[in-house]
PDB file of all heavy atoms in Angstrom:
ATOM      1  N   PRO A 887     -19.129   7.834 -21.983  1.00 95.00           N
ATOM      2  CA  PRO A 887     -18.357   8.832 -22.630  1.00 95.00           C
ATOM      3  C   PRO A 887     -19.081   9.589 -23.700  1.00 95.00           C
ATOM      4  O   PRO A 887     -18.547  10.503 -24.335  1.00 95.00           O
ATOM      5  CB  PRO A 887     -17.275   7.983 -23.389  1.00 95.00           C
ATOM      6  CG  PRO A 887     -17.964   6.712 -23.739  1.00 95.00           C
ATOM      7  CD  PRO A 887     -18.984   6.444 -22.542  1.00 95.00           C
ATOM      8  N   VAL A 888     -20.455   9.301 -23.925  1.00 94.00           N
ATOM      9  CA  VAL A 888     -21.232   9.996 -24.894  1.00 94.00           C
ATOM     10  C   VAL A 888     -21.356  11.484 -24.527  1.00 94.00           C
ATOM     11  O   VAL A 888     -21.335  12.342 -25.315  1.00 94.00           O
ATOM     12  CB  VAL A 888     -22.547   9.329 -25.127  1.00 94.00           C
ATOM     13  CG1 VAL A 888     -23.305  10.026 -26.230  1.00 94.00           C
ATOM     14  CG2 VAL A 888     -22.286   7.859 -25.447  1.00 94.00           C
ATOM     15  N   SER A 889     -21.652  11.658 -23.236  1.00 94.00           N
ATOM     16  CA  SER A 889     -21.742  12.959 -22.682  1.00 94.00           C
ATOM     17  C   SER A 889     -20.696  13.113 -21.613  1.00 94.00           C
ATOM     18  O   SER A 889     -19.893  12.250 -21.333  1.00 94.00           O
ATOM     19  CB  SER A 889     -23.109  13.162 -22.073  1.00 94.00           C
ATOM     20  OG  SER A 889     -23.343  14.496 -21.744  1.00 94.00           O
ATOM     21  N   HIS A 890     -20.641  14.251 -20.986  1.00 95.00           N
ATOM     22  CA  HIS A 890     -19.728  14.435 -19.795  1.00 95.00           C
ATOM     23  C   HIS A 890     -20.506  14.706 -18.585  1.00 95.00           C
ATOM     24  O   HIS A 890     -21.672  15.237 -18.659  1.00 95.00           O
ATOM     25  CB  HIS A 890     -18.689  15.526 -20.034  1.00 95.00           C
ATOM     26  CG  HIS A 890     -17.663  15.158 -21.145  1.00 95.00           C
ATOM     27  ND1 HIS A 890     -16.654  14.223 -20.863  1.00 95.00           N
ATOM     28  CD2 HIS A 890     -17.600  15.572 -22.445  1.00 95.00           C
ATOM     29  CE1 HIS A 890     -16.006  14.056 -21.968  1.00 95.00           C
ATOM     30  NE2 HIS A 890     -16.479  14.850 -22.919  1.00 95.00           N
ATOM     31  N   MET A 891     -19.922  14.515 -17.433  1.00 94.00           N
ATOM     32  CA  MET A 891     -20.603  14.582 -16.183  1.00 94.00           C
ATOM     33  C   MET A 891     -19.648  15.247 -15.174  1.00 94.00           C
ATOM     34  O   MET A 891     -18.534  14.839 -15.058  1.00 94.00           O
ATOM     35  CB  MET A 891     -21.025  13.146 -15.786  1.00 94.00           C
ATOM     36  CG  MET A 891     -22.077  13.057 -14.766  1.00 94.00           C
ATOM     37  SD  MET A 891     -22.652  11.362 -14.826  1.00 94.00           S
ATOM     38  CE  MET A 891     -23.634  11.336 -13.367  1.00 94.00           C
ATOM     39  N   LEU A 892     -20.160  16.202 -14.452  1.00 96.00           N
ATOM     40  CA  LEU A 892     -19.335  16.795 -13.361  1.00 96.00           C
ATOM     41  C   LEU A 892     -20.091  16.580 -12.051  1.00 96.00           C
ATOM     42  O   LEU A 892     -21.277  16.947 -11.919  1.00 96.00           O
ATOM     43  CB  LEU A 892     -19.214  18.381 -13.607  1.00 96.00           C
ATOM     44  CG  LEU A 892     -18.698  19.201 -12.481  1.00 96.00           C
ATOM     45  CD1 LEU A 892     -17.331  18.768 -12.077  1.00 96.00           C
ATOM     46  CD2 LEU A 892     -18.761  20.626 -12.837  1.00 96.00           C
ATOM     47  N   ALA A 893     -19.390  16.029 -11.084  1.00 95.00           N
ATOM     48  CA  ALA A 893     -19.970  15.902  -9.768  1.00 95.00           C
ATOM     49  C   ALA A 893     -19.453  17.047  -8.857  1.00 95.00           C
ATOM     50  O   ALA A 893     -18.231  17.298  -8.889  1.00 95.00           O
ATOM     51  CB  ALA A 893     -19.564  14.549  -9.156  1.00 95.00           C
ATOM     52  N   VAL A 894     -20.351  17.733  -8.263  1.00 96.00           N
ATOM     53  CA  VAL A 894     -20.000  18.763  -7.362  1.00 96.00           C
ATOM     54  C   VAL A 894     -20.274  18.276  -5.949  1.00 96.00           C
ATOM     55  O   VAL A 894     -21.470  17.984  -5.657  1.00 96.00           O
ATOM     56  CB  VAL A 894     -20.713  20.091  -7.663  1.00 96.00           C
ATOM     57  CG1 VAL A 894     -20.238  21.148  -6.692  1.00 96.00           C
ATOM     58  CG2 VAL A 894     -20.482  20.530  -9.083  1.00 96.00           C
ATOM     59  N   GLN A 895     -19.171  18.173  -5.150  1.00 95.00           N
ATOM     60  CA  GLN A 895     -19.380  17.468  -3.890  1.00 95.00           C
ATOM     61  C   GLN A 895     -19.208  18.476  -2.777  1.00 95.00           C
ATOM     62  O   GLN A 895     -18.255  19.235  -2.738  1.00 95.00           O
ATOM     63  CB  GLN A 895     -18.345  16.388  -3.754  1.00 95.00           C
ATOM     64  CG  GLN A 895     -18.367  15.402  -4.906  1.00 95.00           C
ATOM     65  CD  GLN A 895     -17.134  14.528  -4.992  1.00 95.00           C
ATOM     66  OE1 GLN A 895     -16.082  14.876  -4.523  1.00 95.00           O
ATOM     67  NE2 GLN A 895     -17.298  13.417  -5.623  1.00 95.00           N
ATOM     68  N   ILE A 896     -20.203  18.508  -1.861  1.00 95.00           N
ATOM     69  CA  ILE A 896     -20.213  19.516  -0.828  1.00 95.00           C
ATOM     70  C   ILE A 896     -20.093  18.814   0.571  1.00 95.00           C
ATOM     71  O   ILE A 896     -20.738  17.830   0.850  1.00 95.00           O
ATOM     72  CB  ILE A 896     -21.566  20.280  -0.770  1.00 95.00           C
ATOM     73  CG1 ILE A 896     -21.688  21.092  -2.121  1.00 95.00           C
ATOM     74  CG2 ILE A 896     -21.727  21.189   0.406  1.00 95.00           C
ATOM     75  CD1 ILE A 896     -22.495  20.546  -3.162  1.00 95.00           C
ATOM     76  N   PHE A 897     -19.127  19.258   1.312  1.00 94.00           N
ATOM     77  CA  PHE A 897     -18.808  18.716   2.641  1.00 94.00           C
ATOM     78  C   PHE A 897     -19.100  19.818   3.695  1.00 94.00           C
ATOM     79  O   PHE A 897     -18.492  20.846   3.605  1.00 94.00           O
ATOM     80  CB  PHE A 897     -17.359  18.290   2.695  1.00 94.00           C
ATOM     81  CG  PHE A 897     -16.936  17.281   1.682  1.00 94.00           C
ATOM     82  CD1 PHE A 897     -16.633  17.716   0.378  1.00 94.00           C
ATOM     83  CD2 PHE A 897     -16.832  15.984   2.002  1.00 94.00           C
ATOM     84  CE1 PHE A 897     -16.243  16.803  -0.530  1.00 94.00           C
ATOM     85  CE2 PHE A 897     -16.424  15.078   0.969  1.00 94.00           C
ATOM     86  CZ  PHE A 897     -16.078  15.524  -0.227  1.00 94.00           C
ATOM     87  N   ALA A 898     -19.998  19.572   4.672  1.00 94.00           N
ATOM     88  CA  ALA A 898     -20.292  20.620   5.577  1.00 94.00           C
ATOM     89  C   ALA A 898     -20.608  19.931   6.981  1.00 94.00           C
ATOM     90  O   ALA A 898     -21.149  18.880   7.122  1.00 94.00           O
ATOM     91  CB  ALA A 898     -21.570  21.344   5.143  1.00 94.00           C
ATOM     92  N   GLY A 899     -20.123  20.679   8.033  1.00 92.00           N
ATOM     93  CA  GLY A 899     -20.323  20.172   9.430  1.00 92.00           C
ATOM     94  C   GLY A 899     -21.794  20.305   9.803  1.00 92.00           C
ATOM     95  O   GLY A 899     -22.274  19.597  10.620  1.00 92.00           O
ATOM     96  N   ASP A 900     -22.539  21.253   9.263  1.00 94.00           N
ATOM     97  CA  ASP A 900     -23.920  21.451   9.530  1.00 94.00           C
ATOM     98  C   ASP A 900     -24.772  20.975   8.447  1.00 94.00           C
ATOM     99  O   ASP A 900     -24.660  21.410   7.301  1.00 94.00           O
ATOM    100  CB  ASP A 900     -24.117  22.983   9.817  1.00 94.00           C
ATOM    101  CG  ASP A 900     -25.561  23.222  10.196  1.00 94.00           C
ATOM    102  OD1 ASP A 900     -26.386  23.461   9.291  1.00 94.00           O
ATOM    103  OD2 ASP A 900     -25.834  23.202  11.440  1.00 94.00           O
ATOM    104  N   GLU A 901     -25.693  20.090   8.687  1.00 93.00           N
ATOM    105  CA  GLU A 901     -26.453  19.454   7.705  1.00 93.00           C
ATOM    106  C   GLU A 901     -27.325  20.444   6.858  1.00 93.00           C
ATOM    107  O   GLU A 901     -27.267  20.423   5.653  1.00 93.00           O
ATOM    108  CB  GLU A 901     -27.413  18.359   8.308  1.00 93.00           C
ATOM    109  CG  GLU A 901     -28.132  17.580   7.219  1.00 93.00           C
ATOM    110  CD  GLU A 901     -28.874  16.416   7.884  1.00 93.00           C
ATOM    111  OE1 GLU A 901     -29.025  16.307   9.128  1.00 93.00           O
ATOM    112  OE2 GLU A 901     -29.238  15.550   7.091  1.00 93.00           O
ATOM    113  N   GLU A 902     -27.959  21.308   7.579  1.00 95.00           N
ATOM    114  CA  GLU A 902     -28.874  22.257   6.887  1.00 95.00           C
ATOM    115  C   GLU A 902     -28.152  23.193   5.978  1.00 95.00           C
ATOM    116  O   GLU A 902     -28.490  23.451   4.797  1.00 95.00           O
ATOM    117  CB  GLU A 902     -29.758  23.079   7.908  1.00 95.00           C
ATOM    118  CG  GLU A 902     -31.203  22.784   7.879  1.00 95.00           C
ATOM    119  CD  GLU A 902     -31.682  21.960   6.706  1.00 95.00           C
ATOM    120  OE1 GLU A 902     -31.948  22.517   5.539  1.00 95.00           O
ATOM    121  OE2 GLU A 902     -31.723  20.749   6.851  1.00 95.00           O
TER     122      GLU A 902
END
Side-chain angles (χ1 to χ4, degrees):
V888 181
S889 187
H890 290 287
M891 200 164 168
L892 166 64
V894 182
Q895 306 165 336
I896 293 102
F897 302 79
D900 181 273
E901 187 171 11
E902 247 348 275

